[in-house]
Amino acid sequence: MSLLSIAALLLGMASAVRAATVADAPPMVARIALDGAIGPATAEYVHDASRQAVAAGARAIVLQLDTPGGLAGSMREIIADMLASPVPVLVYVAPGGARAASAGTYILYAAQLAAMAPGTHLGAATPVSLGGGTPLPLPKATPVPAGAASSGSPSSLAGPGGDAETHKVLNDAIAYLRSLAQLRGRNAAWAEQAVRGAATLTATEAKQQRVIDLIATDLPDLLAQADGRTVRVGEREVTLHLRGATVRDFAPGARVRFLSVITDPTIAYLLLLAGIFGLLLEALHPGAMLPGIVGGICLLVAFYALQLLPVNYAGLALMALGIGLLVAEALTPTIGALGVGGVISFVLGSVMLMHSGTPGYAVNIGVIAGIAVAASLLLALLLWLVLAARRARRISGDDALRDAEGELLAALEPGAEGWARVLGERWRVRAEVALPAGAHVRVLRRNGLLLWVAPA
């Protein structure tokens, strides 16, 4: 009985020591670094990393942000994960020189605690049209003093000018950012100006106008300043205890890295072209196998990437038409009519293919120009070969014999027949003048199996 009591006492002491050790351990903060354009891969990375951080016992999540903007759909997915997070999410625009432009401004507004490093900026949150790179026409807004309330009514937001679709997109973006500002107690009036007028702020100006909460030189400084602050997570108030916390980085997994590569607009564009030309080579050379297999894989991967990207299907159709015209030119030469039309159609489609107004989501113009130049040179080479073939001497029939040179095998009297070797063949020949054996002759014409020749 005494042994059992001693064992129970020892187990209790061990549990108490373990609990005290865990209690004394510094809290862990998860850092998720978002660098570059916001896209499908970014949204999946934030979703997966946030779940892993919560499962690992993170007290808070820090989104370290440096982005020119990105896709609205991916931005909303990230914000939805932030709002649903069971732990506080701090957004930190860093390092110096970083920015939280366009979609980054929305993400910054959604954070429980927003911070920026010195030398950073945010803003320019104006939506852009799907058809190209020109920003939506912006109606004039009545200036609202910083910190003043704005009605946010449709009439005040719509303003004069533009069409219904423009106002719908613009007002939706304004309302979304204003709702985040009101949720976090930030400057809603400036949020409207960031969307309507593409306004921007430096870190110091953002702090003065209550757009952000802190200016921190680095992550430890951010955690020290955030310590003791109370933030709202869902329906509950949470006091942050982050001073001296350990920082653990959550890197993207293999799937996210692969997705980030193929959803790069230029990579997706090149995969699409590789797939199309691979299948064309297989069709022109049946049984080659490798072009068809590689082309099929590239085409399927490109289609997967394109359905995640803001693709303009008119541009895709123009590209397909251009490639079809170039193939038709190669198979049935038309002295450039189909080829020139194909190059023009292909270039226009390539430019229109992606939503070029979204920062970071446009096909590299240099790649398009390079492919267009290569297609033009190929077309020029094809036309040169066609014209050269038309000018080339025929190699069969009377045209091949005319002006061909040969050698007499025996002396030839005027009007008499003899034999000569012409183009490697023995022919009966006749001439109007006498010619010695071995003389070089030139064919004038053919009469049946008889050649009329003259001295060469």
Side-chain angles (χ1 to χ4, degrees), residues 75-153:
M75 171 199 74
R76 288 177 182 262
E77 290 180 25
I78 293 173
I79 292 176
D81 283 329
M82 293 171 61
L83 298 180
S85 174
V87 298
V89 178
L90 289 65
V91 175
Y92 180 39
V93 183
R99 55 179 170 168
S102 191
T105 301
Y106 293 79
I107 294 173
L108 190 65
Y109 260 84
Q112 274 93 358
L113 201 64
M116 299 175 69
T120 58
H121 66 278
L122 81 158
T126 305
V128 292
S129 62
L130 185 60
T134 305
L136 290 171
L138 302 180
K140 295 181 180 179
T142 302
V144 181
S150 176
S151 64
S153 62

Side-chain angles (χ1 to χ4, degrees), residues 357-433:
T358 302
Y361 279 88
V363 179
N364 188 291
I365 296 298
V367 173
I368 297 176
I371 294 176
V373 169
S376 300
L377 292 176
L378 184 61
L379 176 62
L381 175 62
L382 182 64
L383 294 178
W384 179 80
L385 292 175
V386 171
L387 294 176
R390 292 194 172 189
R391 293 193 302 265
R393 178 179 172 180
R394 295 180 182 268
I395 59 173
S396 64
D398 289 351
D399 290 329
L401 286 172
R402 187 178 300 114
D403 293 328
E405 294 187 359
E407 180 182 356
L408 284 178
L409 299 178
L412 187 63
E413 297 296 329
E417 292 186 5
W419 293 90
R421 186 178 300 279
V422 180
L423 299 178
E425 300 174 335
R426 287 170 58 90
W427 285 87
R428 288 190 302 115
V429 296
R430 180 178 293 177
E432 296 179 351
V433 296

Side-chain angles (χ1 to χ4, degrees), residues 276-339:
I276 292 173
F277 284 109
L279 294 181
L280 284 176
L281 285 175
E282 182 66 31
L284 295 175
H285 302 280
M289 301 294 289
L290 183 61
I293 294 173
V294 174
I297 293 173
C298 290
L299 197 61
L300 290 176
V301 173
F303 283 159
Y304 176 74
L306 291 176
Q307 61 93 21
L308 297 174
L309 296 171
V311 175
N312 186 320
Y313 290 99
L316 193 61
L318 279 171
M319 285 181 60
L321 176 62
I323 293 173
L325 291 175
L326 288 172
V327 172
E329 178 68 41
L331 297 178
T332 57
T334 58
I335 315 301
L338 293 177

Side-chain angles (χ1 to χ4, degrees), residues 116-294:
M116 299 175 69
T120 58
H121 66 278
L122 81 158
T126 305
V128 292
S129 62
L130 185 60
T134 305
L136 290 171
L138 302 180
K140 295 181 180 179
T142 302
V144 181
S150 176
S151 64
S153 62
S155 59
S156 66
L157 296 178
D163 54 21
E165 186 66 25
T166 296
H167 296 322
K168 182 185 296 184
V169 174
L170 182 64
N171 290 342
D172 177 72
I174 291 174
Y176 187 54
L177 191 55
R178 284 179 57 83
S179 68
L180 295 175
Q182 293 167 3
L183 177 66
R184 302 304 185 199
R186 299 200 172 94
N187 190 335
W190 186 86
E192 179 177 335
Q193 295 303 315
V195 178
R196 188 185 299 280
T200 57
L201 292 175
T202 64
T204 303
E205 294 167 344
K207 180 71 166 58
Q208 292 172 350
Q209 297 200 33
R210 297 187 301 107
V211 173
I212 63 171
D213 304 296
L214 300 171
I215 296 179
T217 55
D218 52 24
L219 190 53
D221 182 31
L222 169 63
L223 299 180
Q225 292 189 54
D227 189 68
R229 287 177 175 259
T230 300
V231 296
R232 190 172 188 83
V233 180
E235 298 299 324
R236 58 192 176 92
E237 300 287 336
V238 176
T239 300
L240 300 176
H241 299 287
L242 304 179
R243 185 181 296 272
T246 60
V247 178
R248 177 179 169 186
D249 289 307
F250 285 79
R255 170 185 161 81
V256 172
R257 290 196 297 269
F258 173 72
L259 194 62
S260 65
V261 171
I262 65 171
T263 53
D264 181 280
T266 302
I267 299 298
Y269 174 76
L270 293 176
L271 284 173
L272 179 64
L273 293 185
I276 292 173
F277 284 109
L279 294 181
L280 284 176
L281 285 175
E282 182 66 31
L284 295 175
H285 302 280
M289 301 294 289
L290 183 61
I293 294 173
V294 174

